[in-house]
Amino acid sequence: MKTFSASHKTVFVVDHCPYMAESCRQQVEYDMLTKTRAQGIIPLAPVSKSLWTCAVECSMEYCRILFDIYPFKKLVNYIVSDSEFHFLNTWSQEDQNVQELMSALAAVGPPNPREDPECCSILHGLVAAVESLCKITEYQHEARTTLMDNAEHVTNKGRIICITNAKSDTHVRMLEDCVQETIQEHNKLAAGSDRLMQIQQCELVLIHTYPLGDDTLVSDRPRKEISPVLTSEVHSVRAGRHLAGKLNILVQQHFDLASTTITNIPMKEEQHANTSANYDVELLHHKDAHLEFIRSGELHPPGSASRDSSLKETVTLKWCTPRTNSVELHFCTGAFRISPVDVNSRPSSCLTNFLLNGRSVLLEQPRKSGSKVISHMLSSHGGEIFLHVLSSTRSTLEDPPSISEGCGGRVTDYRITDFGEFMRENRLTPFPEPKQIDAPTRAPLERAKDQLERHTRYWPMIISQTTIFNMQAVVPLASLIVKESLTEEDVLTCQKTIYNLVDMERKNDPLPISTVGTRGKGPKRDEQYRIMWNELETLVRAHINSTERHQRVLDCIVACRSKPPEEEERKKRGRKREEKEDKSEKNGKDVEPDKTWQESERLKGVLECEKEELAEAEIIKDSPDSPEPLNKKPRLAIEETPPVEKAKGPVSLLAMWTSRINTANSRKHQEFVGRLNSVNNKAELYQHLKEENGKDTHENGKASR
């Protein structure tokens, strides 16, 4: 269907009855323009415009803005109503210009206050407006010709803007009823004609204007649906600048326009040629020029303000130094025609002439801090001025950004390789038409969506957030569990993978646990396997609702994780031993003085006991009636103790560690025969000499050499 919105056709109906000749009572001082005035000359009294003049000027500004921004496909039909209706132009594209309308309005002239008010009515113009909406425009005719047999699919919508001086709310309702009845009648006529089109939708905008100082007799009313074809809204506005502001707001609402104010424009003063002042110029354009602000959430950046009304807001952009070399300019993402709001003001005229001379101006967003951001540019092409939207973000023509600069911050361990494999497994390809049309199969697109959903139920994006996807041993299970259905062979493969993991845990094999952002050696081996089993169970649980075989894989994991009591006890003892060793290593420096002191005291006590035992052994040995003492294996404590003179002061950590190593090494070799047969750790040498020479080798308790 070829859709033409209500903005395609706009009919202006302006009341030309005698009461429109009344003054609007907004005075204009025009004698102030005289620079020199002789003394004694009384200045001229101010003048005021009529309601008709205000209505014509405001409607012409509406049309001027529309023609500036939309030179094509947005058409206006202007009608004047008094004792009869007067068409000032047609739907033809040649008539869509302000000069044509101004010439026609000059021919009509102002209202005649002496004319009989009973003979004049705005109804004549409203009936003519409905009749005009039924007529076919050039663009509609082209669309109907293109569609040929489907010409009825071309829509016909329009808008009627009526400026009048209504008497009351009842008068307004009467005007709405008249438009509704006229639409019904003309739709019947258009149904049987090839040159007319039925109206599918009509928007009626009634503007009641009245002089300043008077009380309004008509109340405002928002848009209301009168019938499925007709909607109506009422605006009660004072004449003069208030009416101009209302029409300015309406043209923005009707044609999706937005306002931008250019600030800090340097201009030389007429009185002082060597000085300059800064001025502001407000421009209207399509609202898509602010699309970047909407996407970034900065629709109203610092400096944006509301002008004249809370309904009309403008975005403020700051003037930058003009650029003349177009090669240096940034690339733009859009260009939109502009129209100055106050076209006759000196700042607007100077800016327009400056741009039409081939100059370009960059515009920046005003910011309280940070570097400036150039977001727009003003430049002319073919005698028309455009507002260019410059891309303030990374250009699509540049190299792609690093993945570490994404939304996740500077993350460098994304699973890029795995993601590439994931893309290959889920790529879309053309699917041939099924041979059996009635086959109860799902569409290929739906099956592809389901597969993508299954593959992404659990898929960590970062290497440090996963363990099982970093293990080659888990690949068979991870690739099979995402399938829609499993075979018995698939279940066996998954179970075999689980048993391999159990075997790895029994062998205490290391796991690829990431230690990024952690201090120390990372989690214990048991903790690593606990993390691995938890993640594996999470992956499988995400797919247990698929089939019964998926549940069997989960049952296998749960069964393998529940260890027998003796295995748990062994693991518990191992964990305690590791914790004790780690604790001693961690707190070794803190408790070293206390430990050294305690060890020294213990060694002193052991040495005192050994001295007493040696003394008693000597006494017993020297007595003639005492039997020969038994040969005993020396105590390890004697071997571990350092010399007495070294135990008097604090024992160093090196001495303690050396003693511990010597003790451990003594258990690993066969003891000397002499040391085994020694008494009190003293062995008799050359015992054969005692038998041959009959000499006693012991003298005063000392062995002879």
Side-chain angles (χ1 to χ4, degrees):
M1 176 179 289
K2 183 67 174 179
T3 303
F4 287 90
S5 65
S7 301
H8 176 60
K9 291 179 177 180
T10 301
V11 181
F12 261 104
V13 180
V14 181
D15 200 341
H16 194 249
C17 295
Y19 47 79
M20 292 296 290
E22 184 180 355
S23 172
C24 71
R25 299 173 190 169
Q26 179 179 341
Q27 296 182 348
V28 179
E29 297 284 350
Y30 70 95
D31 196 31
M32 61 182 294
L33 300 178
T34 304
K35 296 182 180 179
T36 59
R37 180 182 298 114
Q39 295 182 357
I41 297 179
I42 301 175
L44 299 176
V47 297
S48 61
K49 302 176 184 179
S50 64
L51 296 179
W52 162 258
T53 302
C54 293
V56 169
E57 288 182 350
C58 296
S59 60
M60 283 296 100
E61 274 297 293
Y62 185 104
C63 296
R64 180 192 63 81
I65 295 172
L66 175 59
F67 295 152
D68 284 348
I69 300 177
Y70 295 101
F72 306 104
K73 295 188 178 181
K74 306 296 183 184
L75 309 178
V76 174
N77 192 200
Y78 207 98
I79 300 175
V80 174
S81 177
D82 42 32
S83 58
E84 58 181 356
F85 61 86
H86 307 275
F87 283 105
L88 302 189
N89 67 339
T90 64
W91 293 124
S92 175
Q93 186 66 53
E94 289 77 12
D95 293 342
Q96 303 301 310
N97 57 80
V98 176
Q99 292 78 11
E100 185 76 20
L101 293 177
M102 293 296 287
S103 300
L105 285 169
V108 171
N112 185 6
R114 291 182 293 275
E115 190 175 357
D116 186 6
E118 298 297 331
C119 300
C120 299
S121 175
I122 192 66
L123 293 177
H124 303 301
L126 292 176
V127 173
V130 174
E131 179 183 350
S132 178
L133 288 178
C134 292
K135 296 178 181 179
I136 302 176
T137 65
E138 297 175 356
Y139 301 102
Q140 290 176 326
H141 177 71
E142 181 181 356
R144 285 161 58 94
T145 306
T146 304
L147 294 177
M148 296 299 290
D149 296 337
N150 297 323
E152 66 276 3
H153 292 172
V154 179
T155 59
N156 184 32
K157 302 177 182 179
R159 180 182 294 115
I160 300 175
I161 302 177
C162 177
I163 303 178
T164 184
N165 181 266
K167 298 179 176 61
S168 62
D169 290 337
T170 304
H171 185 203
V172 170
R173 285 193 294 270
M174 185 267 293
L175 298 178
E176 294 173 345
D177 294 339
C178 175
V179 173
Q180 170 64 18
E181 295 175 0
T182 307
I183 291 176
Q184 294 177 354
E185 295 176 359
H186 282 76
N187 278 347
K188 293 178 181 179
L189 296 175
S193 174
D194 294 335
R195 297 184 178 181
L196 300 176
M197 294 182 66
Q198 291 182 325
I199 300 175
Q200 278 91 26
Q201 181 182 354
C202 177
E203 297 179 8
L204 177 61
V205 181
L206 289 172
I207 300 176
H208 166 67
T209 181
Y210 57 96
L212 273 69
D214 289 358
D215 295 332
T216 179
L217 303 177
V218 178
S219 57
D220 287 346
R221 193 189 65 203
R223 181 175 298 183
K224 173 184 176 182
E225 183 176 338
I226 306 300
S227 69
V229 179
L230 179 64
T231 60
S232 174
E233 57 185 285
V234 180
H235 302 276
S236 182
V237 189
R238 291 191 295 261
R241 60 184 182 89
H242 302 282
L243 181 61
K246 173 60 67 174
L247 266 297
N248 191 288
I249 294 173
L250 289 178
V251 73
Q252 295 185 50
Q253 295 176 352
H254 293 165
F255 297 97
D256 296 330
L257 304 182
S259 171
T260 297
T261 300
I262 314 300
T263 63
N264 294 344
I265 301 177
M267 290 177 53
K268 292 184 178 181
E269 294 290 342
E270 290 181 345
Q271 294 85 357
H272 307 284
N274 296 328
T275 61
S276 63
N278 293 335
Y279 293 91
D280 298 347
V281 174
E282 184 179 0
L283 306 176
L284 293 181
H285 50 79
H286 196 275
K287 66 178 182 180
D288 284 351
H290 293 165
L291 196 58
E292 290 294 332
F293 295 148
I294 299 175
R295 290 175 179 173
S296 61
E298 298 181 359
L299 180 58
H300 305 298
S304 64
S306 177
R307 300 169 63 91
D308 298 334
S309 173
S310 60
L311 298 176
K312 179 183 177 183
E313 294 185 345
T314 180
V315 173
T316 302
L317 297 177
K318 188 178 178 182
W319 171 284
C320 288
T321 304
R323 307 290 293 273
T324 58
N325 189 356
S326 60
V327 178
E328 300 177 2
L329 296 177
H330 303 80
F331 73 97
C332 67
T333 58
F336 306 93
R337 290 182 173 88
I338 62 99
S339 179
V341 172
D342 192 359
V343 68
N344 294 321
S345 67
R346 180 171 173 265
S348 297
S349 177
C350 291
L351 176 62
T352 302
N353 293 331
F354 181 83
L355 295 172
L356 290 177
N357 288 332
R359 306 296 294 274
S360 298
V361 177
L362 297 178
L363 306 175
E364 64 172 292
Q365 301 179 26
R367 293 199 170 190
K368 296 181 179 179
S369 61
S371 59
K372 64 180 181 180
V373 177
I374 298 176
S375 58
H376 294 78
M377 178 189 71
L378 283 173
S379 183
S380 64
H381 305 285
E384 294 182 285
I385 301 176
F386 290 82
L387 178 66
H388 298 73
V389 181
L390 304 181
S391 179
S392 56
T393 58
R394 186 186 293 270
S395 169
T396 56
L397 304 177
E398 300 176 6
D399 294 334
S402 172
I403 195 171
S404 63
E405 300 176 10
C407 58
R410 292 196 168 274
V411 181
T412 57
D413 59 340
Y414 284 113
R415 298 172 56 200
I416 300 176
T417 306
D418 296 342
F419 187 71
E421 186 64 28
F422 168 80
M423 291 168 56
R424 281 191 292 270
E425 293 176 355
N426 293 274
R427 62 182 177 182
L428 294 176
T429 57
F431 191 83
E433 290 291 335
K435 297 181 180 180
Q436 298 180 359
I437 300 178
D438 298 334
T441 57
R442 289 182 301 166
L445 180 60
E446 297 299 325
R447 293 190 314 203
K449 289 180 180 179
D450 293 343
Q451 176 177 329
L452 185 62
E453 188 273 333
R454 291 194 307 272
H455 279 70
T456 55
R457 287 178 187 174
Y458 182 77
W459 202 91
M461 296 182 63
I462 303 176
I463 297 175
S464 59
Q465 292 180 348
T466 179
T467 301
I468 59 175
F469 289 102
N470 300 331
M471 301 171 58
Q472 193 66 26
V474 188
V475 171
L477 186 147
S479 60
L480 291 175
I481 201 66
V482 296
K483 295 173 62 175
E484 187 176 6
S485 61
L486 299 177
T487 62
E488 286 296 333
E489 184 178 354
D490 295 338
V491 175
L492 293 177
T493 303
C494 294
Q495 292 175 348
K496 187 183 298 183
T497 302
I498 297 170
Y499 297 149
N500 290 339
L501 296 176
V502 174
D503 188 56
M504 289 175 58
E505 185 178 14
R506 189 178 71 254
K507 295 178 181 178
N508 212 17
D509 292 342
L511 294 179
I513 296 292
S514 175
T515 58
V516 177
T518 60
R519 294 183 177 180
K521 297 183 296 185
K524 303 292 188 301
R525 194 63 54 83
D526 289 349
E527 179 67 15
Q528 293 179 9
Y529 275 95
R530 187 187 67 81
I531 294 173
M532 184 272 294
W533 285 113
N534 287 341
E535 186 179 6
L536 186 63
E537 185 174 341
T538 301
L539 171 65
V540 177
R541 283 189 182 275
H543 300 274
I544 58 174
N545 295 328
S546 299
T547 62
E548 181 268 340
R549 291 188 174 94
H550 288 79
Q551 181 67 41
R552 287 169 54 186
V553 177
L554 178 63
D555 296 341
C556 180
I557 294 177
V558 174
C560 291
R561 292 195 64 179
S562 57
K563 301 180 179 64
E566 57 272 12
E567 181 71 12
E568 289 292 336
E569 186 65 24
R570 185 183 67 81
K571 292 287 185 181
K572 186 176 181 181
R573 289 198 302 270
R575 282 195 297 269
K576 287 184 178 179
R577 183 171 64 254
E578 290 181 0
E579 291 174 0
K580 185 176 180 181
E581 293 177 358
D582 292 343
K583 187 176 180 181
S584 63
E585 294 178 4
K586 180 180 179 181
N587 302 326
K589 294 184 179 180
D590 298 336
V591 301
E592 182 178 342
D594 296 338
K595 277 193 170 184
T596 304
W597 178 80
Q598 294 174 2
E599 189 69 19
S600 301
E601 293 297 323
R602 186 182 67 81
L603 291 175
K604 288 181 180 180
V606 171
L607 290 175
E608 293 295 334
C609 294
E610 292 299 332
K611 286 182 180 180
E612 294 176 0
E613 291 178 1
L614 287 173
E616 293 177 0
E618 290 291 328
I619 295 173
I620 295 173
K621 182 175 182 294
D622 291 339
S623 62
D625 299 331
S626 64
E628 188 73 17
L630 298 175
N631 294 330
K632 299 180 179 179
K633 185 177 180 180
R635 289 188 179 184
L636 297 176
I638 300 300
E639 300 175 7
E640 294 178 3
T641 57
V644 178
E645 58 272 9
K646 292 184 180 180
K648 291 181 180 179
V651 181
S652 65
L653 182 62
L654 177 61
M656 296 171 58
W657 180 255
T658 305
S659 175
R660 179 179 177 182
I661 293 299
N662 293 337
T663 303
N665 292 339
S666 65
R667 298 193 185 104
K668 298 179 181 179
H669 62 80
Q670 187 176 0
E671 189 59 88
F672 293 112
V673 177
R675 187 175 293 170
L676 290 174
N677 298 330
S678 66
V679 178
N680 296 331
N681 205 26
K682 295 180 179 180
E684 294 184 7
L685 301 178
Y686 312 111
Q687 295 183 7
H688 62 283
L689 296 178
K690 179 181 179 181
E691 297 174 357
E692 295 176 358
N693 301 330
K695 294 183 179 180
D696 190 359
T697 58
H698 286 272
E699 295 179 2
N700 298 329
K702 295 182 181 180
S704 60
R705 298 287 178 181

